Amino acid sequence: MDSSQFNKDFFEFLQSCPTPFHTTKVIKNSFKRAGFLEIPENEDWNLENAEGYYCTRDDGTIIGIKLATDFPLERPWRMTAAHSDSPALQLKPKPLKSNHSNYQLCVEVYGGPLLSTWFDRDLGIAGRVTVLCKNDHLQTCAIDFKRPMAIIPSLAIHLDRNANKEHTVKKQKQLFPLICQTTDNEFSFDELLLQQVIAEYPDLTACKILGFDLFCYDTNPAAFIGLNNDFISAGRLDNLLSCFVGTKAILDINTVDNALLLCSNHEEIGSASFAGAQGNFLSAVLKRLMPDPILRSKLLSNSYLISMDNAHAVHPNFPEKHDPQHTPMLNHGPVIKYNSNQRYATTSRSAAMYKTLADEVNIPIQEFVMNNDLACGSTIGPIAATKLGIQTVDIGVPSLAMHSIRETTGAQDPYMLYQTISHFYSRSSLPQTAL
Ligand code: CO
């Protein structure tokens, strides 16, 4: 495995994962192929049949587990966490409106996208749909039209002479993707969805649409950019990059300790949901894996979580936005993120452990702290650290244009993160720090 093969696989992953439901499905399938067994929350678990297991919640969050070969109930946990969702435009329950011989889609803003970047893009539609089947069962399935289905045209500059001076996007006025022209036949959105479900799941006998979570996404594939292919441009790098790295790393290793990967939905909207990191999914799974509360707290206090989410590289046009001492650059190694108010979970000690790991595989590290005059973002790191009582570091690859429909990172960055995380999972023991 080298960086170019790694990036090739990564680009395919990005293309297969337009929504958290697809990300979860793709990760689940790679676990299945590796012999991992599903442990559904609503069933009893038998943990003696395999080394690898996975568990999903609400179709958008997945936990992968690789148990220590020897004495798993006596071993600490090495965990990584990332989020499966990205900012997007989500279709409203009644998504169609007709307007001047066009049909347009009504959307809500999911999370915090850079809205100006969503105009004049080839937008696909994907997500999950719950259907009624002929045997009266309800079935939820992920669908993806896999082609440009809609576009939000900008207003021509001749009709808006201030367009290059003002960037404001009026969400209830301007965000209506154009989906088709009106014809004599009435256009039924449910019928369109039903046909897509039948095309993707011919065995289902789907006969009625009962609900959906559908999103617009950029259909253009990831690309290398630059004279020397130094950069990667793609949608949803935040945070599919970390999901991909975590999945590949946990699949590739033999572990002496227990290994876990969490790819969680709803981070972009604050994580407070059934499937989000503020919910009880991870702690409920860990309770079932380690039912004894004293043993659980002992093992978790010896465990370590690497929370992976992209970091802000310094933008060459806006260097003043960064603290001048902390200016991560693309292709210069993953970034350790610090915040004295614990918006990032990093402590000097958890950072020291990460530095040790990176150093052992010769991967450079960079350090980020927010400019004092700007509000600091957050990740699922502090939430997991708070809920589980586990030592956590927040890290991520440097990137530009975070939350744009297309974000930029360095072509070397994903593989550097992978090498570090792979080493973290496979090292003979966790770097020890005296408590
Ligand atoms: Co993120």
Side-chain angles (χ1 to χ4, degrees):
M1 167 79 58
D2 59 10
S3 164
S4 68
Q5 180 59 46
F6 185 88
N7 283 338
K8 193 169 163 273
D9 294 349
F10 175 44
F11 284 15
E12 269 172 35
F13 180 82
L14 286 169
Q15 200 65 12
S16 324
C17 300
T19 75
F21 310 115
H22 293 84
T23 308
T24 301
K25 195 174 161 184
V26 166
I27 295 174
K28 179 171 158 169
N29 287 338
S30 38
F31 284 155
K32 263 191 203 165
R33 278 196 302 276
F36 283 40
L37 301 179
E38 180 158 23
I39 41 172
E41 278 194 284
N42 61 352
E43 288 180 17
D44 289 331
W45 296 353
N46 181 348
L47 299 172
E48 273 147 31
N49 295 330
E51 281 183 356
Y53 299 89
Y54 64 89
C55 185
T56 66
R57 191 184 271 194
D58 202 31
D59 306 317
T61 297
I62 186 161
I63 292 173
I65 293 153
K66 214 166 193 179
L67 293 179
T69 325
D70 299 318
F71 313 111
L73 273 178
E74 293 170 24
R75 310 296 309 183
W77 288 80
R78 302 187 196 180
M79 301 186 194
T80 59
H83 62 88
S84 56
D85 61 327
S86 301
L89 301 179
Q90 180 169 10
L91 272 59
K92 290 181 176 175
K94 292 180 183 174
L96 274 192
K97 76 166 192 163
S98 97
N99 185 357
H100 288 83
S101 89
N102 298 306
Y103 277 115
Q104 291 178 294
L105 296 171
C106 305
V107 297
E108 276 187 281
V109 178
Y110 177 88
L114 264 175
L115 287 173
S116 64
T117 65
W118 281 75
F119 291 80
D120 310 317
R121 299 285 178 163
D122 310 337
L123 300 177
I125 297 173
R128 72 168 171 180
V129 179
T130 301
V131 290
L132 178 67
C133 298
K134 286 190 179 136
N135 58 6
D136 280 344
H137 280 151
L138 302 189
Q139 182 77 38
T140 300
C141 40
I143 61 164
D144 177 6
F145 286 89
K146 289 194 175 160
R147 66 183 181 93
M149 296 283 286
I151 189 163
I152 313 175
S154 298
L155 183 61
I157 189 132
H158 318 79
L159 306 179
D160 179 11
R161 294 288 178 190
N162 286 328
N164 288 334
K165 294 182 198 134
E166 293 163 11
H167 266 302
T168 333
V169 175
K170 296 186 183 74
K171 294 179 198 150
Q172 185 66 24
K173 160 91 181 153
Q174 289 173 257
L175 294 180
F176 291 99
L178 204 53
I179 181 165
C180 64
Q181 295 215 289
T182 49
T183 61
D184 292 342
N185 303 326
E186 205 186 328
F187 173 30
S188 157
F189 192 72
D190 277 8
E191 191 52 39
L192 176 76
L193 292 184
L194 199 56
Q195 290 312 321
Q196 185 64 24
V197 172
I198 292 166
E200 291 191 45
Y201 302 87
D203 300 338
L204 269 190
T205 71
C207 58
K208 190 180 180 190
I209 301 292
L210 293 177
F212 54 78
D213 297 283
L214 292 168
F215 298 85
C216 294
Y217 71 94
D218 183 9
T219 51
N220 285 304
F224 290 110
I225 304 276
L227 181 61
N228 302 313
N229 289 340
D230 284 334
F231 313 113
I232 290 171
S233 164
R236 306 178 301 285
L237 287 176
D238 172 14
N239 193 6
L240 293 185
L241 198 163
S242 309
C243 292
F244 179 72
V245 165
T247 305
K248 211 162 176 51
I250 200 170
L251 283 172
D252 288 352
I253 46 108
N254 284 318
T255 171
V256 275
D257 290 333
N258 299 304
L260 182 145
L261 164 72
L262 166 71
C263 293
S264 190
N265 199 0
H266 292 158
E267 190 273 348
E268 295 292 356
I269 52 167
S271 295
S273 73
F274 177 43
Q278 289 205 51
N280 72 341
F281 184 37
L282 179 57
S283 49
V285 166
L286 289 171
K287 271 183 196 164
R288 289 181 71 170
L289 293 168
M290 298 174 283
D292 182 89
I294 294 173
L295 183 70
R296 185 168 66 243
S297 100
K298 266 167 68 180
L299 290 179
L300 286 178
S301 78
N302 277 331
S303 301
Y304 182 56
L305 167 67
I306 300 183
S307 158
M308 305 184 288
D309 203 348
N310 298 353
H312 298 296
V314 64
H315 194 303
N317 298 349
F318 301 93
E320 72 282 1
K321 294 289 181 186
H322 273 60
D323 178 273
Q325 299 291 108
H326 302 88
T327 52
M329 288 170 287
L330 302 185
N331 290 321
H332 281 62
V335 181
I336 304 176
K337 302 187 265 185
Y338 300 84
N339 178 256
S340 64
N341 296 304
Q342 288 284 294
R343 302 278 294 163
Y344 301 130
T346 310
T347 63
S348 60
R349 191 165 64 199
S350 67
M353 289 169 76
Y354 180 83
K355 286 177 190 171
T356 307
L357 293 167
D359 196 45
E360 284 168 350
V361 281
N362 294 317
I363 301 295
I365 60 113
Q366 307 188 79
E367 294 180 296
F368 175 80
V369 59
M370 198 64 167
N371 178 323
N372 282 341
D373 290 332
L374 297 174
C376 186
S378 191
T379 72
I380 56 180
I383 301 168
T386 305
K387 289 180 75 86
L388 299 180
I390 181 168
Q391 190 159 208
T392 302
V393 68
D394 262 299
I395 57 110
V397 301
S399 71
L400 294 168
M402 193 182 285
H403 291 194
S404 165
I405 197 165
R406 278 181 90 77
E407 301 169 324
T408 301
T409 189
Q412 305 304 319
D413 289 313
Y415 192 57
M416 282 197 272
L417 180 63
Y418 166 75
Q419 286 172 288
T420 318
I421 297 303
S422 183
H423 176 59
F424 160 59
Y425 276 137
S426 52
R427 196 180 190 271
S428 59
S429 64
L430 274 173
Q432 285 305 314
T433 54
L435 289 172

